Amino acid sequence: MTNNKNTKSTLKKDINLDAPFHVSGRTKYVDDLPELEGTCFAKAYYSRCAHGEIKKINFSKAEKLNGVVKILSHKDVPGENQIGGIVRDEPLLADKEVHFYGQPILLIIAESETIAEKAMKLIEVDYKEKEIIVDPREAYKKGSVLSSSRTFKLGNPTSKFKKCAYVFEGEADSGGQEHLYLETQGAYAIPKDQGGLLIHSSTQGPTAVQKVTANVLGLNMSQVEINVNRIGGGFGGKEDQASHWAALAGFGAFITKRPVKLILSRHEDLQMTGKRHPYRSDYKIGLDKDLKIIAYTASFYQNGGAAADLSPAVLERTLFHASNSYFIPNIEVTAHPCKTNLPPNTAFRGFGGPQGKFVIEAAIHRAANELNIPAHNIQKANLFKNGDEFSFGQKVENCEATKCWNDLSKRYELKRLEKEIEHFNKENKYFKKGIALQPICFGISFTNTPMNNARALVHVYNDGSVGVSTGAVEMGQGVNTKMVQVAAQAFGLTLDKIRLEDTNTTRVANTSPTAASATADLNGKALQDACQQIKDRILPLAGELLKEKNLKNISFVDGKVKAKRKNIDWVDLVQTALLRRINMSAKGHYSTPRINFDKKKEKGHPFAYHVYGNSIFVVTLDCIRGTYEFEAVKIVHDFGASMNKAVDLGQIEGGLVQGMGWMTLEDVVYNKKGLLKSNTLATYKVPDVYFVPKEIEVHFLKTNTDNLAILKSKAVGEPPLMYGLGAYFSIINAILAFNPNASISYDAPITTEKILMTLYS
Ligand code: MTE
Ligand code: LUZ
Ligand code: MOS
């Protein structure tokens, strides 16, 4: 996988070890696994009704089709017909009722995918339709919720509004977003002897898959092995929702005793799986005459879809990030998880954070527009400083918000840029430029404290090479490269000596999903622990061989083990150690220190640290056609001490563009019947090479603070997505330059149609 001749020549620090394999098509995904003899192919037959009672199912014709091996329903589930994680509210296969268009009802197992597809067309299901709800506000009004509402509060906003010089209130809505991982959901389940099961799954959460599969099959978790080589993107969509397909494949294999492969087509994946949660929200913001935000309240109506999935956790993060980068002394934010008849919405890069931030940014923009000042004057006046308090009680520490802001505005000459834009807008009637600044502040750690732990298994082999297993799943974010770097650094070896193994539940158990941007921190620190244990075991031997009494003087560098005067080859030390019967394998463990959260009080210190940054967006809008071009996005980002600039820069660029897409192009549209209308890439627009800003400049902020990040290299996966909000506000500002009286409705995405309507509103 990673240690291959082709990567040996490029053993620089700042590379992604996977890149040569990706670009030459040699990377293997689940569907690329060679098929074992006797492999069957499965398809899930899904509901064509968004809410209803199942009156009759007829699959007798399908069952008789030549090549159909078996058709299974909920009645055949040997264990519990239940896959819900946080709330037990989602069946593996629907029984009496269906709750969304796309919900699996039957599992068809056939000799080929084509036969399974043919069988699908012969199945008839009669439904008695019930009322369909697709809007979260309507759901909330009708008492249709997934779990309880939550409120975070600091100070007393209600009493403070009266004292504010300016108070504004309104609504702000943001839309869903399709993950569009390149590899669709899928799994390949293989029966093992003694009733065991091996499942190759495209998942971010191998342990979640193992748990769900064992539960539906009535097996012990120890009988179910999950293997993940890597996945072709997840973006949160496979944190929880890969389990459904793996459990179905496992179900098929368990019943037929044959290997079963289930891979969703793109169309099925789009219709059947959940997406980013759309939110509808109300806000009220109060400022004093110096533009300090004195009070803020917001209510969030989260469109959770038909089952809880990760919605309660996503909801929580919306509250954790409801004030973005700003200190608000009086704040009260409430979020409602609403149950609708859409596919269960799920984790998506940012995990509710972007939705929370959109509302405070809309509130600030609204205030700025009414006061006829740039929004960045308000943003800047309220940035977090050390010692401030978050609404949930954590104190602000090692805050880089102002540093990022000042560095950005100086480095990219904000004042000059504003003047240029003003000038351009005076000179041009039908082309207008808009500028927006977008700071970010994102908390690193699973907000559910117990999830912040990881383990790693390290073997040092006789030839001095090293095998590493962790709970981390590589999904394009470069975590494998980072793990290789950590092990190489610990032993003083070159990267080619380290092999990163598949992620497998029999080598590393009870793992948290690869999520919350914390994977490199958690697994990397567990890996460091394992390496240190091995080093501690061989240090006395090294001391003996090097004739060095003070073991602190011994270091592991450049393939050597060095003391002051003498050194030996790493390989020689390893071989001697093995002859002396020293254990050269170790299991490392890490659990994040200090963090805690009390859900009763809604107070605590949930995050190991925060990541900060700031960005400038400049867009040029064609006010006749409603089209636009992003001229430049410039960023100053707090990476801590980046351990791999290539990987980290890739995360910033990818996250940024994904966030911009969410705010502008990507419009997830369901009709009133719960059918997804934006169900192809012709009707669901995502950023392409023409959309990407002509210039993206990223400056690595110099910081030297201590933090809990791996090698002080801060988590980078999700934070940059939130820069994307700047795309929305820069377009709005260009619209306002054309029509200062335009009526702004703060409902993202701002598609070209909406731009035109707003320009002439
Ligand atoms: N980058 C790529 N290329 N593909 C992905 O699927 N997922 C994102 C981010 N970057 C993703 C990605 C999400 S949602 C998260 S939480 C982090 O990567 C997870 O990985 P990390 O914890 O190693 O940052
Ligand atoms: N998943 C999760 C996440 O279970 N808890 C989190 O806090 C989180 N944050 C971001 C992304 N996924
Ligand atoms: Mo990312 S939303 O934590 O998978």
Side-chain angles (χ1 to χ4, degrees):
M1 192 165 58
T2 44
N3 52 331
N4 179 292
K5 276 190 193 127
N6 295 292
T7 55
K8 264 192 189 168
S9 54
T10 49
L11 287 182
K12 292 182 300 188
K13 187 172 138 225
D14 294 323
I15 60 157
N16 183 333
L17 293 172
D18 291 335
F21 296 86
H22 288 340
V23 297
S24 58
R26 284 174 292 166
T27 309
K28 297 265 187 279
Y29 302 97
V30 172
D31 208 14
D32 297 321
L33 288 169
E35 277 144 22
L36 296 167
E37 207 183 315
T39 293
C40 299
F41 298 82
K43 284 265 159 207
Y45 177 86
Y46 62 82
S47 171
R48 267 64 174 179
C49 161
H51 192 197
E53 223 172 89
I54 299 178
K55 283 176 61 188
K56 210 173 93 195
I57 304 183
N58 183 355
F59 56 83
S60 55
K61 266 188 259 168
E63 220 172 11
K64 283 187 201 118
L65 188 74
N66 203 6
V68 169
V69 177
K70 202 128 198 146
I71 296 182
L72 300 170
S73 76
H74 70 94
K75 289 181 195 144
D76 304 299
V77 174
E80 192 191 357
N81 183 32
Q82 180 54 247
I83 64 164
I86 300 176
V87 182
R88 305 179 72 71
D89 65 353
E90 190 176 359
L92 177 74
L93 292 172
D95 51 18
K96 293 188 191 73
E97 287 194 345
V98 285
H99 292 269
F100 64 95
Y101 196 116
Q103 183 174 355
I105 301 175
L106 297 169
L107 183 70
I108 304 163
I109 303 161
E111 299 290 349
S112 77
E113 218 168 33
T114 322
I115 297 169
E117 272 158 18
K118 272 193 192 149
M120 191 111 83
K121 297 203 177 92
L122 300 173
I123 292 171
E124 290 154 19
V125 179
D126 291 343
Y127 310 92
K128 186 175 163 214
E129 279 201 24
K130 293 184 154 188
E131 186 197 27
I132 295 167
I133 304 177
V134 294
D135 178 75
R137 284 186 194 264
E138 185 193 340
Y140 187 71
K141 242 188 239 151
K142 292 183 169 154
S144 174
V145 294
L146 295 161
S147 62
S148 34
S149 300
R150 304 272 299 270
T151 298
F152 285 12
K153 186 175 177 188
L154 179 72
N156 189 345
T158 324
S159 67
K160 290 293 190 308
F161 279 124
K162 286 175 225 134
K163 294 179 188 143
C164 289
Y166 317 109
V167 176
F168 305 100
E169 49 190 317
E171 280 186 33
D173 302 337
S174 61
Q177 187 175 24
E178 164 57 38
H179 300 87
L180 214 78
Y181 24 67
L182 285 179
E183 180 193 23
T184 56
Q185 302 267 8
Y188 186 28
I190 301 162
K192 301 220 311 188
D193 63 357
Q194 316 236 333
L197 207 52
L198 162 65
I199 304 180
H200 297 278
S201 165
S202 181
T203 181
Q204 294 172 237
T207 294
V209 170
Q210 181 190 24
K211 204 169 159 190
V212 165
T213 306
N215 187 52
V216 300
L217 298 183
L219 294 174
N220 297 324
M221 278 174 78
S222 57
Q223 286 168 292
V224 182
E225 172 185 352
I226 309 301
N227 195 82
V228 187
N229 170 24
R230 66 170 63 258
I231 68 177
F235 304 110
K238 296 168 182 170
E239 180 174 335
D240 215 44
Q241 298 212 342
S243 303
H244 211 151
W245 319 108
L248 284 172
F251 179 28
F254 185 82
I255 299 285
T256 61
K257 312 259 185 300
R258 289 170 62 175
V260 171
K261 197 177 206 180
L262 191 166
I263 310 278
L264 296 195
S265 69
R266 179 64 67 190
H267 187 76
E268 289 168 332
D269 195 308
L270 292 172
Q271 177 65 57
M272 297 168 87
T273 69
K275 314 189 190 309
R276 181 187 294 287
H277 295 78
Y279 274 60
R280 302 196 60 187
S281 317
D282 302 312
Y283 66 81
K284 185 170 178 184
I285 189 168
L287 302 97
D288 70 11
K289 15 178 226 351
D290 301 325
L291 304 180
K292 286 269 185 213
I293 304 171
I294 300 301
Y296 178 66
T297 58
S299 302
F300 300 98
Y301 298 87
Q302 178 197 47
N303 191 337
D309 193 274
L310 290 164
S311 297
V314 170
L315 187 87
E316 192 175 67
R317 202 176 262 279
T318 300
L319 299 180
F320 280 115
H321 295 305
S323 79
N324 192 14
S325 309
Y326 315 113
F327 174 59
I328 306 177
N330 300 284
I331 175 170
E332 183 168 351
V333 283
T334 297
H336 310 291
C338 308
K339 180 175 175 177
T340 59
N341 298 109
L342 300 181
N345 286 317
T346 193
F348 197 133
R349 206 172 194 169
F351 207 72
Q355 293 95 317
K357 287 173 198 257
F358 179 70
V359 180
I360 182 74
E361 293 299 344
I364 289 173
H365 190 274
R366 166 81 192 287
N369 194 23
E370 301 266 356
L371 300 174
N372 207 15
I373 54 167
H376 54 254
N377 289 7
I378 300 178
Q379 291 172 318
K380 189 180 177 196
N382 292 281
L383 291 175
F384 273 127
K385 292 186 185 57
N386 285 338
D388 287 344
E389 192 176 337
F390 290 97
S391 67
F392 46 93
Q394 183 158 344
K395 288 274 167 10
V396 176
E397 289 170 23
N398 296 331
C399 183
E400 308 289 359
T402 300
K403 213 165 155 194
C404 286
W405 186 287
N406 291 343
D407 191 313
L408 182 87
S409 56
K410 205 170 136 203
R411 185 174 299 276
Y412 303 120
E413 301 177 78
L414 178 59
K415 288 246 163 64
R416 187 184 54 78
L417 210 56
E418 282 185 276
K419 282 222 180 78
E420 267 176 31
I421 290 169
E422 211 183 300
H423 179 72
F424 179 95
N425 287 345
K426 260 192 207 129
E427 300 287 299
N428 291 275
K429 192 168 173 199
Y430 292 113
F431 284 90
K432 296 290 177 187
K433 284 190 199 248
I435 181 171
L437 270 77
Q438 188 56 60
I440 59 158
C441 163
F442 197 75
I444 302 304
S445 287
F446 288 95
T447 57
N448 182 22
T449 303
M451 290 172 79
N452 295 285
N453 70 89
R455 278 150 303 287
L457 174 67
V458 174
H459 298 309
V460 177
Y461 295 101
N462 194 284
D463 63 354
S465 66
V466 177
V468 171
S469 301
T470 74
V473 170
E474 173 61 48
M475 52 181 172
Q477 87 280 39
V479 73
N480 277 8
T481 302
K482 288 189 173 180
M483 293 305 100
V484 168
Q485 285 180 259
V486 167
Q489 203 221 36
F491 293 125
L493 298 172
T494 47
L495 304 186
D496 62 315
K497 289 284 185 291
I498 318 293
R499 156 113 192 150
L500 206 74
E501 303 293 352
D502 291 5
T503 312
N504 184 297
T505 52
T506 67
R507 280 192 298 273
V508 179
N510 304 319
T511 61
S512 292
T514 286
S517 307
T519 316
D521 286 356
L522 297 173
N523 291 276
K525 293 207 170 199
L527 176 54
Q528 283 181 325
D529 177 44
C531 297
Q532 191 57 48
Q533 288 176 40
I534 295 174
K535 282 162 71 177
D536 286 345
R537 284 186 218 135
I538 53 176
L539 267 173
L541 174 62
E544 183 190 320
L545 299 176
L546 292 166
K547 299 195 171 50
E548 172 63 63
K549 283 210 184 80
N550 187 354
L551 301 185
K552 287 205 178 101
N553 291 333
I554 297 175
S555 58
F556 296 74
V557 275
D558 302 332
K560 305 247 183 256
V561 184
K562 294 185 177 169
K564 277 203 177 125
R565 265 169 247 105
K566 227 179 140 186
N567 65 58
I568 47 172
D569 283 346
W570 158 257
V571 186
D572 292 336
L573 177 62
V574 168
Q575 289 175 352
T576 315
L578 286 166
L579 287 174
R580 298 268 184 104
R581 296 183 285 180
I582 292 173
N583 176 6
M584 292 299 281
S585 297
K587 197 68 185 273
H589 174 80
Y590 178 73
S591 66
T592 312
R594 202 179 167 200
I595 52 172
N596 63 77
F597 194 70
D598 181 343
K599 277 199 186 183
K600 283 201 196 85
K601 298 192 179 121
E602 302 286 29
K603 295 283 176 192
H605 186 106
F607 298 117
Y609 58 89
H610 281 80
V611 171
Y612 297 89
N614 196 11
S615 55
I616 306 183
F617 285 72
V618 179
V619 70
T620 309
L621 184 64
D622 178 334
C623 301
I624 300 289
R625 298 163 73 218
T627 54
Y628 53 85
E629 199 165 54
F630 284 99
E631 236 142 82
V633 177
K634 302 189 176 187
I635 293 173
V636 173
H637 187 85
D638 157 33
F639 294 85
S642 173
M643 66 185 285
N644 189 322
K645 288 192 169 162
V647 165
D648 286 351
L649 183 61
Q651 286 296 292
I652 299 289
E653 290 172 345
L656 165 73
V657 173
Q658 197 167 34
M660 292 173 71
W662 172 52
M663 281 285 110
T664 56
L665 304 175
E666 300 185 39
D667 204 2
V668 177
V669 181
Y670 291 96
N671 69 10
K672 289 216 165 73
K673 294 259 172 201
L675 171 74
L676 182 70
K677 300 303 280 181
S678 47
N679 64 356
T680 67
L681 290 182
T683 50
Y684 184 74
K685 294 294 179 194
V686 291
D688 61 13
V689 70
Y690 301 104
F691 172 85
V692 168
K694 284 194 280 191
E695 193 187 343
I696 300 178
E697 239 180 278
V698 181
H699 177 72
F700 288 60
L701 184 78
K702 282 208 175 60
T703 59
N704 52 7
T705 48
D706 212 5
N707 60 46
L708 288 170
I710 179 72
L711 300 169
K712 295 193 186 170
S713 179
K714 284 190 171 184
V716 69
E718 294 168 284
L721 183 128
M722 284 152 272
Y723 288 130
L725 297 175
Y728 182 92
F729 293 99
S730 58
I731 291 176
I732 296 285
N733 288 339
I735 293 175
L736 287 168
F738 178 79
N739 173 5
N741 299 316
S743 130
I744 309 295
S745 55
Y746 301 107
D747 59 337
I750 179 126
T751 56
T752 298
E753 292 87 336
K754 271 195 213 159
I755 292 174
L756 274 173
M757 306 277 256
T758 315
L759 276 166
Y760 299 96
S761 62

